[in-house]
Amino acid sequence: MTDFRIQLTRPDDWHLHVRDGQMLESVVPDSARQFARAIIMPNLKPPVATVVQALEYRKRILMALPEGSEFQPLMTLYLTEQTTPEEIRAAADSGHIHAVKYYPAGATTNAASGVGDIRRVFPVLEQMQQHGLPLLMHGEVTDPEVDVFDREAVFIERELDMLVQEFPGLPMVLEHITTRAAVEYVQDGPDKLAATVTAHHLLLNRNAIFQGGLRPHHYCLPLLKREQHRQALVGAVTSGNARFFLGTDSAPHPRGAKESDCGCAGIYTARNALELYAEVFDEAGALDRLEAFAAFHGPDFYGMPRNSGTIELERTEAEIPETVDFGGQVGVPFRAGGRTRWRLVG
Ligand code: NCD
Ligand code: ZN
């Protein structure tokens, strides 16, 4: 079955890291080839915390696009304890800022400027609720007493539950979910709550971090979890439930920053993201559900139009290189040296 093809409405990526400078220039074309739009994470150094910074960053992304590309970066603001309700109003009025990102301080890469206590930013959340500006959550507690594999489940108990009660009208996205607890909370949860799911959390369980030795290219946050959790995620995305949509969390780091004594968290899936998701849906016998997950549920949640163009995927193997260029540095893509089972045509 080498020439079996499917056509989909062009999808969007609702959680993407493209970095800045030369790295930006080399990674953006990978996303632009597959997706029409992407929610751009603001965890640069320094963080993208103001409207002015977000609009400047947007211009740099547009400049890095291949000639003729119509890819649209959907900007976000990085929530800090200094963020003001006025900044939120300006963000909502800007027309280019589509969400605000909440990193619990220290939870992940470049999260040092995040929020120590969410209660301190309640006036900001109130303002977001008024404007319907979504809150995107890195849903892990940072309490060192909590086991690293339990941090998402504990976040739901300690913070998310409180947030959805305090702000019932605030659209919220629990990002890159990794556990059965998150699936269950979101699928039966409040109306305004949704979740993104990455390709790597759908394809791998935590054994992959230790397969034959310590595997830094399988280190991401939230961490990969047990097989039962991976299966719960596959069940969620293939169920057709509109609260789950595509967000790669593709997060490039140069090889040296990953293969290190204290390596960075982040997996680069942008090169083959759609092909990897297709593999998951195909294996689950749910290819007919891929389009809604990748192209409908996200824009519907954000109140944006669905894309009008289409893309085509062919069920055939394609090689993934051992390394890619990250702006003059070496990058190691997901499944480096291996193969995809699907190929984006054109
Ligand atoms: C992300 C990064 O590198 O920016 N890393 C990751 O493992 N996902 C940050 C994040 O989204 O947690
Ligand atoms: Zn991320």
Side-chain angles (χ1 to χ4, degrees), residues 40-327:
I40 305 296
M41 286 297 122
N43 63 332
L44 302 183
K45 271 187 192 165
V48 181
T50 67
V51 174
V52 169
Q53 286 170 323
L55 297 181
E56 283 170 1
Y57 186 30
R58 177 172 174 274
K59 280 192 209 146
R60 297 198 295 279
I61 297 169
L62 293 174
M63 296 276 291
L65 288 174
E67 188 84 16
S69 171
E70 289 175 12
F71 178 81
Q72 288 178 49
L74 309 175
M75 307 312 292
T76 61
L77 284 193
Y78 187 117
L79 183 63
T80 75
E81 293 190 10
Q82 285 71 48
T83 306
T84 60
E86 292 69 46
E87 198 70 41
I88 297 302
R89 208 170 306 132
D93 289 346
S94 75
H96 291 302
I97 295 169
H98 296 272
V100 175
K101 178 65 189 263
Y102 164 38
Y103 290 103
T108 186
T109 307
N110 298 346
S113 318
V115 176
D117 181 351
I118 191 70
R119 287 175 187 79
R120 290 194 208 119
V121 296
F122 272 13
V124 171
L125 301 187
E126 185 63 51
Q127 190 71 31
M128 288 166 58
Q129 182 168 249
Q130 276 178 33
H131 288 281
L133 194 62
L135 178 71
L136 312 184
M137 294 169 282
H138 184 106
E140 290 193 289
V141 294
T142 54
D143 182 348
E145 304 278 300
V146 177
D147 187 276
V148 288
F149 289 99
D150 296 336
R151 289 181 180 184
E152 181 175 283
V154 175
F155 178 87
I156 294 169
E157 287 166 27
R158 286 192 195 167
E159 286 200 40
L160 181 56
D161 213 34
M162 179 266 292
L163 285 173
V164 298
Q165 282 172 36
E166 291 283 336
F167 300 98
L170 176 63
M172 294 186 208
V173 183
L174 187 58
E175 302 216 90
H176 41 51
I177 59 167
T178 62
T179 57
R180 180 181 296 277
V183 167
E184 287 173 357
Y185 193 86
V186 172
Q187 74 190 0
D188 313 318
D191 282 350
K192 300 251 172 202
L193 180 66
T196 54
V197 190
T198 77
H200 48 279
H201 289 105
L202 289 166
L203 286 164
L204 301 178
N205 65 38
R206 68 189 197 178
N207 286 357
I209 311 170
F210 308 104
Q211 202 177 13
L214 188 58
R215 308 297 293 271
H217 300 291
H218 290 158
Y219 172 53
C220 61
L221 287 171
L223 292 164
L224 299 172
K225 301 296 192 304
R226 288 179 183 275
E227 176 61 11
Q228 54 153 312
H229 296 293
R230 189 192 69 81
Q231 286 178 14
L233 296 177
V234 174
V237 300
T238 58
S239 71
N241 186 323
R243 292 174 182 199
F244 300 100
F245 44 85
L246 187 158
T248 62
D249 194 17
S250 177
H253 292 277
R255 180 163 69 183
K258 299 222 25 107
E259 299 175 9
S260 148
D261 178 44
C262 189
C264 293
I267 299 182
Y268 188 65
T269 49
R271 188 180 183 281
N272 303 100
L274 206 52
E275 295 150 345
L276 296 168
Y277 282 108
E279 183 176 316
V280 172
F281 279 73
D282 193 10
E283 263 171 33
L287 274 177
D288 57 329
R289 299 262 164 96
L290 175 61
E291 182 177 45
F293 171 75
F296 298 164
H297 299 165
D300 293 355
F301 175 85
Y302 277 83
M304 299 176 75
R306 295 176 180 179
N307 295 314
S308 51
T310 57
I311 52 114
E312 213 172 18
L313 284 161
E314 185 178 36
R315 192 193 271 142
T316 185
E317 293 199 344
E319 285 184 13
I320 302 178
E322 294 279 356
T323 62
V324 292
D325 174 46
F326 281 168

